[in-house]
Amino acid sequence: MTNDQDNSDNVELLVAERGPTVIRIALGSRLRRLRESCGVSREAAGDAIRGSHAKISRLELGRTGFKERDIRDLLTLYGVTDDDKREPYLDMARKANDPGWWQSYSDLLPAWFETYVGLEQAATTIRTYEAQFIPGLLQTADYARSVIMLGNDDETERRVAVRIRRQKILHRRAAPTLWAVIDENALRRPVGGMKVLREQIKHLIDISELPNVRIQVLPYSAGGHPAAGGPFSILRFPEPELPDIVYTEQLTSSLYMEKRHDVELYMSVMNQLSVQALSPAESLQFLAAILIEYAAGD
């Protein structure tokens, strides 16, 4: 098998398992290395594609789609003129623009959340803290439905389908590590009623058996904790060019933070939460005890 075939097979595997977002990241990284090796500034590269240095920055970070014409012009600028050497880049650009599964729900999902789903699909580590609800990647369909219905949305079932579809990443061959710290408050709040909550807790116990899922409960007995700002997630990627990203969500928008100072602050908070929380083994015992408590209350 040739190197080109190997590269094509690798790209296909990346698309199948981690979605087109990671292809954009990988291609952007390769283009950045080409530009830097040629000593071309972002401003000059932007001029070559009738854009700005900010556009080049977005392309190199994989934050936007690629126009094939732009890739051709950049490759020419960087001295890659041989057709055989240009084709792998162009092939990646075409695959990077393929729609992710979530884009079939684009009429339903706001653009800021589509971005998150794409990043979630590409991440290799997801650390999350939740205070009010069970994390979306760990929700049962009935629990998810109950949470979504709090917003009185008439597209409930499609939203549930998106949430359940997102969870497939936990079972794929190259599954990310999910490390969730869940406040006891979320385990006490009977969203959808006690039956739904019991089934949800059973699901947490079952899914914690996956080697890539780590669940910690932050009990009331832990007292105060540093996550006063509410729930957040930290996503990590295998590509060294892409920094860790902190994601926080509001009712109608979200915030993505990737500056080192911000990420380090949130990582410090997450580490403190993990220390204050029960260990994974203790958390399983806690969940089992709550299940018995709720069953006795019937």
Side-chain angles (χ1 to χ4, degrees), residues 8 18 55 68 78 87 96 136 171 173 211 214 223 275 292:
S8 178
R18 297 175 61 212
K55 180 177 180 179
E68 192 166 326
Y78 302 153
E87 185 54 33
H171 303 277
R173 181 172 57 177
R214 181 173 185 171
V275 170
I292 293 173

Side-chain angles (χ1 to χ4, degrees), residues 87-236:
E87 185 54 33
Y89 291 94
L90 298 172
D91 183 53
M92 287 183 74
R94 287 188 285 268
K95 289 182 170 63
N97 289 329
D98 287 345
W101 64 261
W102 56 91
Q103 288 175 298
S104 62
Y105 297 92
S106 59
D107 62 315
L108 191 68
L109 302 177
W112 51 265
F113 190 67
E114 280 194 64
T115 298
Y116 176 76
V117 174
L119 292 171
E120 184 181 72
Q121 294 287 306
T124 51
T125 302
I126 303 168
R127 297 186 67 179
T128 187
Y129 164 70
E130 278 289 350
Q132 298 295 328
F133 302 109
I134 303 302
L137 288 177
L138 298 173
Q139 291 179 5
T140 65
D142 285 340
Y143 184 92
R145 185 175 296 108
S146 299
V147 172
I148 291 166
M149 287 176 65
L150 294 174
N152 298 314
D153 193 279
D154 60 359
E155 290 279 8
T156 297
E157 292 309 313
R158 291 184 69 210
R159 292 185 186 277
V160 171
V162 171
R163 195 157 301 183
I164 299 304
R165 177 63 180 80
R166 285 169 52 204
Q167 297 174 5
K168 288 188 176 183
I169 63 172
L170 299 178
H171 303 277
R172 72 189 183 195
R173 181 172 57 177
T177 296
L178 173 62
W179 186 350
V181 177
I182 305 173
D183 197 286
E184 182 177 350
N185 191 56
L187 303 172
R188 298 290 183 184
R189 188 180 298 279
V191 176
M194 291 306 299
K195 180 180 179 182
V196 169
L197 183 57
R198 283 198 303 271
E199 290 302 315
Q200 175 62 68
I201 294 174
K202 287 180 183 177
H203 179 66
L204 291 178
I205 294 172
D206 291 341
I207 201 166
S208 66
E209 295 180 1
L210 291 178
N212 57 307
V213 174
R214 181 173 185 171
I215 296 174
Q216 290 187 264
V217 174
L218 184 65
Y220 292 147
S221 60
H225 58 78
F232 63 96
S233 296
I234 305 174
L235 284 70
R236 175 163 291 176

